[in-house]
C-alpha cells in the first residue's frame, strides 16, 4: 500500500486546494455579478464539458500509460490555475476567464477520474480495493468540509491572490507524488512493453466499453441505481436551503443552516472513516441496496418533517450511506470489468452518473415551484389532503419533491435487490512496493476517487453537506 498512500496524500492535497479555490471563486463570481444565473452557470460548466469529453477520455486512458495521462491532465489543470493567478495579480481577472478555466478543469477531470479509478486495480490487492476507495472518500470528505473554512481564512489574510497561489501549489504537490509512483499496467495494456495486441478503431473500442458497462443485469442495475442516487442528492441539495430558511425565524437561520450542514458532514465522515478501517463488506451488493434504501427513507422523512432538527437528522443518515454505496460500487465494477478496459468503462459510467447530477440540478427548481407546488399549496387540488400531511405551510412543493425523490430512490434500490454481479477470475498483482521488471516501462497509478471529485472551482450549493454523490 506504500505507493497508494503516497498518491493518496497527493490527491488529498489537490482536492483540498480545489475545494478552497472553488468556494472562493464561486463567492467572487457572485460578488462581482450579483447574479444567481451566472453563479449557476459556473456549476453547469463544471459538469457538461467533462460529460461530453468522457467517451474520448476513456479510450485514451486505455491506450496510454495511466501515469502519463494523470500527469498531463493535472498539468493542464495547473496551467489554468496559473492563468487565473496571473490575471488576478495584474488586475485583469474577469468572469469569462473563470468560466474558461472551469471548462478546462472539467475536461481534465474527464481524463483524471477514469485513469485514477482504473489505476487502483493494479496498485492494490483485490482485498484492499474497498479500503482504498473508502480512504479516498475520507480524504475528499475532509477536503470538502475544510475547504470553505480555509478559504475564509485565506481570503481574510491575503485575499483571492492567496487562494489562487495555494491552488497552484496544491496541483504541483499532487503532481510530485505521481512522479515516483510505480505499479504494473494490466496485461494487454499498450503501456506494457510485452503488449503486441493491435488496437481496434475508436468506435469499436467505444462500443466494447458500452457493452462491458452493462454486460450483466447486476451491473446495469448498479449503474441505474447510482445515477438515481446522484440525481436524488442533487435534488435534495437544491431544495434543502429554501426549506431550512422557510422553517426558521430570520435570527436563527444561520445556526440552522450550520446545523444541517454539520450533521451531513458528520455522517459522511463517520461512514468514510469506518470503511477505511474495516474495508468494504464481503458481499457488497446487498449493502449497496440497504444503504440506498436507508438514504431514500431519510429523504422521504425530510419531506414530511421539513424543520431544522429533522432535516439535520435526514442529512446525517443520507450522507452516512453515500460512502457505503460509493466504495461497494467501485469494488463491484473493478471486480467485474477487465483491467485493460476499465478506462473506457469508468469514463462512460461517469458520463451517465453525472447526467443524474445535472438532471437533479436542472429539474429541482421547476418541479418544486411550477409542478408540485401548485398541487399541494393552499387552494390547490391536493392542498387540503396531501398538502396538510406535509409539515410546512411554506414551500410545500419542495417538501413534496423530497418525498417523491426518497420514494423513487428506495423503490429503485428494492427493485433490483435480486440481482447478482459475477466477478472475473482474480489476478494477483505484485505488491505495489516491489519494483517493476527491468524490461517493463515505469508503471503508473493513483487511487480512485468518487464520481464527483471533478467538481469545478465554482462553489457548491449554499447548504453543501459533503462531497456530492458517488461513482
Amino acid at each position: 500500500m506504500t505507493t497508494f498512500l503516497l498518491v493518496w496524500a497527493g490527491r488529498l492535497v489537490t482536492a483540498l486546494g480545489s475545494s478552497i479555490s472553488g468556494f472562493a471563486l464561486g463567492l467572487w463570481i457572485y460578488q462581482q455579478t450579483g447574479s444567481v444565473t451566472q453563479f449557476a452557470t459556473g456549476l453547469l460548466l463544471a459538469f457538461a464539458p467533462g460529460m461530453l469529453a468522457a467517451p474520448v477520455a476513456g479510450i485514451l486512458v486505455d491506450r496510454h500509460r495511466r501515469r502519463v495521462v494523470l500527469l498531463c491532465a493535472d498539468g493542464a489543470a495547473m496551467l489554468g490555475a496559473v492563468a487565473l493567478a496571473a490575471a488576478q495579480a495584474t488586475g485583469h481577472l474577469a468572469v469569462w476567464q473563470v468560466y474558461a478555466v472551469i471548462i478546462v478543469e472539467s475536461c481534465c477531470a474527464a481524463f483524471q477520474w477514469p485513469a485514477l479509478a482504473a489505476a487502483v486495480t493494479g496498485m492494490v490487492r483485490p482485498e484492499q480495493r474497498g479500503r482504498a476507495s473508502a480512504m479516498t472518500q475520507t480524504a475528499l470528505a475532509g477536503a470538502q468540509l475544510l475547504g470553505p473554512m480555509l478559504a475564509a481564512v485565506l481570503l481574510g489574510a491575503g485575499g483571492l491572490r492567496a487562494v489562487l497561489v495555494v491552488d497552484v501549489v496544491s496541483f504541483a504537490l499532487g503532481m510530485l507524488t505521481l512522479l515516483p509512483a510505480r505499479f504494473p499496467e494490466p496485461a494487454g495494456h499498450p503501456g506494457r512493453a510485452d503488449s503486441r495486441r493491435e488496437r481496434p478503431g475508436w468506435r469499436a473500442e467505444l462500443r466494447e466499453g458500452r457493452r462491458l458497462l452493462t454486460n450483466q443485469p447486476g451491473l446495469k442495475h448498479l449503474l441505474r441505481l447510482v445515477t438515481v442516487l446522484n440525481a436524488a442528492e442533487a435534488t435534495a441539495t437544491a431544495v434543502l436551503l429554501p426549506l431550512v430558511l422557510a422553517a426558521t425565524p430570520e435570527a436563527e437561520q444561520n445556526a440552522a443552516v450550520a446545523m444541517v450542514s454539520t450533521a451531513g458532514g458528520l455522517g459522511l465522515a463517520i461512514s468514510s472513516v469506518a470503511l477505511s478501517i474495516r474495508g468494504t463488506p464481503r458481499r457488497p451488493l446487498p449493502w449497496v441496496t440497504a444503504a440506498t434504501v436507508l438514504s431514500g427513507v431519510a429523504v422521504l422523512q425530510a419531506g414530511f418533517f421539513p424543520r431544522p432538527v429533522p432535516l439535520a437528522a435526514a442529512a446525517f443518515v443520507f450522507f452516512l450511506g453515500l460512502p457505503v454505496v460509493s466504495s461497494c460500487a467501485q469494488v463491484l465494477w473493478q471486480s467485474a470489468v477487465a483491467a485493460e478496459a476499465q478506462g473506457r468503462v469508468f469514463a462512460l459510467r461517469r458520463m451517465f452518473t453525472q447526467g443524474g447530477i445535472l438532471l437533479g440540478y436542472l429539474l429541482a427548481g421547476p418541479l418544486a415551484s411550477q409542478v408540485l407546488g401548485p398541487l399541494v399549496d393552499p387552494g390547490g387540488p391536493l392542498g387540503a389532503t396531501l398538502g396538510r400531511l406535509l409539515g410546512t405551510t411554506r414551500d410545500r412543493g419542495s417538501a413534496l419533491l423530497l418525498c417523491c425523490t426518497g420514494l423513487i430512490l428506495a423503490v429503485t434500490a428494492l427493485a433490483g435487490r435480486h440481482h447478482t454481479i459475477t466477478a472475473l477470475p482474480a489476478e494477483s498483482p505484485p505488491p505495489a512496493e516491489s519494483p517493476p521488471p527491468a524490461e517493463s516501462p515505469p508503471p503508473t497509478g493513483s487511487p480512485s476517487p468518487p464520481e464527483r471529485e471533478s467538481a469545478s472551482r465554482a462553489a457548491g450549493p449554499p447548504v453543501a453537506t459533503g462531497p456530492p454523490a458517488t461513482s
Side-chain angles (χ1 to χ4, degrees):
M1 291 282 286
T2 302
T3 302
F4 169 78
L5 291 174
L6 174 65
V7 182
W8 175 83
R11 295 298 101 184
L12 171 61
V13 172
T14 302
L16 186 58
S18 297
S19 179
I20 292 171
S21 63
F23 179 86
L25 286 172
L27 180 62
W28 182 84
I29 289 175
Y30 187 76
Q31 289 174 338
Q32 294 295 312
T33 64
S35 170
V36 175
T37 299
Q38 293 206 42
F39 174 78
T41 299
L43 296 178
L44 180 63
L45 293 176
F47 297 104
M51 286 178 58
L52 296 176
V56 174
I59 293 174
L60 291 176
V61 166
D62 282 340
R63 288 190 171 200
H64 300 280
R65 298 179 185 178
R66 285 155 183 173
R67 175 169 166 269
V68 173
V69 173
L70 287 169
L71 285 170
C72 291
D74 283 1
M78 186 178 73
L79 288 177
V82 169
L84 284 185
Q88 196 278 333
T90 58
H92 295 93
L93 184 62
V95 173
W96 70 267
Q97 294 171 326
V98 177
Y99 286 166
V101 172
I102 289 175
I103 292 173
V104 169
E105 292 180 355
S106 179
C107 292
C108 289
F111 289 84
Q112 290 165 329
W113 189 83
L116 290 169
V120 76
T121 304
M123 185 183 301
V124 301
R125 295 185 178 277
E127 64 271 16
Q128 296 290 339
R129 290 171 187 168
R131 182 169 296 171
S133 179
M135 288 176 64
T136 306
Q137 284 274 8
T138 304
L140 295 172
Q144 191 75 14
L145 292 172
L146 292 175
M149 292 186 289
L150 294 177
V153 173
L154 288 172
L155 288 172
L160 186 60
R161 181 176 303 181
V163 169
L164 295 175
V165 169
V166 167
D167 192 25
V168 173
V169 172
S170 72
F171 272 118
L173 292 175
M175 293 177 67
L176 285 176
T177 62
L178 291 175
L179 293 176
R182 294 173 178 270
F183 60 94
E185 294 283 0
H189 190 277
R192 290 175 61 105
D194 59 354
S195 176
R196 297 293 184 266
R197 182 168 63 89
E198 293 186 4
R199 306 292 297 188
W202 284 58
R203 291 184 179 179
E205 286 195 276
L206 193 57
R207 286 195 299 269
E208 178 68 5
R210 188 167 59 244
R211 184 189 68 80
L212 292 173
L213 180 64
T214 57
N215 67 342
Q216 298 184 40
L219 289 178
K220 186 180 296 185
H221 164 68
L222 189 60
L223 178 65
R224 179 170 55 247
L225 183 60
V226 173
T227 302
V228 172
L229 180 61
N230 276 1
E233 193 274 341
T235 300
T237 301
V239 302
L240 191 59
L241 180 62
L243 284 173
V244 173
L245 298 180
T248 310
E250 185 174 355
E252 302 174 7
Q253 287 179 350
N254 290 339
V257 171
M259 178 178 63
V260 175
S261 179
T262 301
L266 185 62
L268 191 76
I270 290 174
S271 183
S272 298
V273 171
L275 287 169
S276 298
I277 296 173
R278 299 186 60 87
T280 53
R282 291 185 178 181
R283 299 179 61 209
L285 194 55
W287 282 80
V288 170
T289 300
T292 307
V293 170
L294 189 64
S295 296
V297 171
V299 176
L300 181 66
Q301 174 260 320
F304 280 112
F305 303 98
R307 293 183 293 277
V309 172
L311 288 175
F316 176 84
V317 173
F318 183 85
F319 283 97
L320 189 72
L322 284 187
V324 176
V325 176
S326 178
S327 299
C328 291
Q330 181 69 7
V331 169
L332 287 167
W333 259 301
Q334 286 173 328
S335 68
V337 177
E340 65 271 17
Q342 287 182 1
R344 283 164 286 164
V345 172
F346 291 168
L348 289 171
R349 183 183 91 188
R350 182 176 182 272
M351 182 178 68
F352 281 108
T353 54
Q354 282 205 325
I357 297 167
L358 281 178
L359 193 65
Y361 278 138
L362 292 175
L363 295 183
L367 284 176
S369 61
Q370 301 175 22
V371 178
L372 299 178
L375 290 177
V376 293
D377 284 339
L382 302 177
T385 53
L386 181 59
R388 295 184 64 180
L389 296 177
L390 303 174
T392 180
T393 56
R394 298 171 56 190
D395 211 354
R396 286 183 175 180
S398 294
L400 181 57
L401 180 59
L402 283 182
C403 293
C404 295
T405 300
L407 187 61
I408 292 172
L409 188 57
V411 169
T412 302
L414 291 173
R417 66 187 184 277
H418 61 280
H419 285 300
T420 59
I421 294 177
T422 303
L424 297 176
E427 296 182 1
S428 299
E433 295 83 359
S434 64
E439 67 274 10
S440 299
T444 65
S446 180
S448 67
E451 197 78 3
R452 291 184 53 191
E453 184 188 0
S454 60
S456 79
R457 308 297 166 192
V463 186
T465 50
T470 182
S471 57

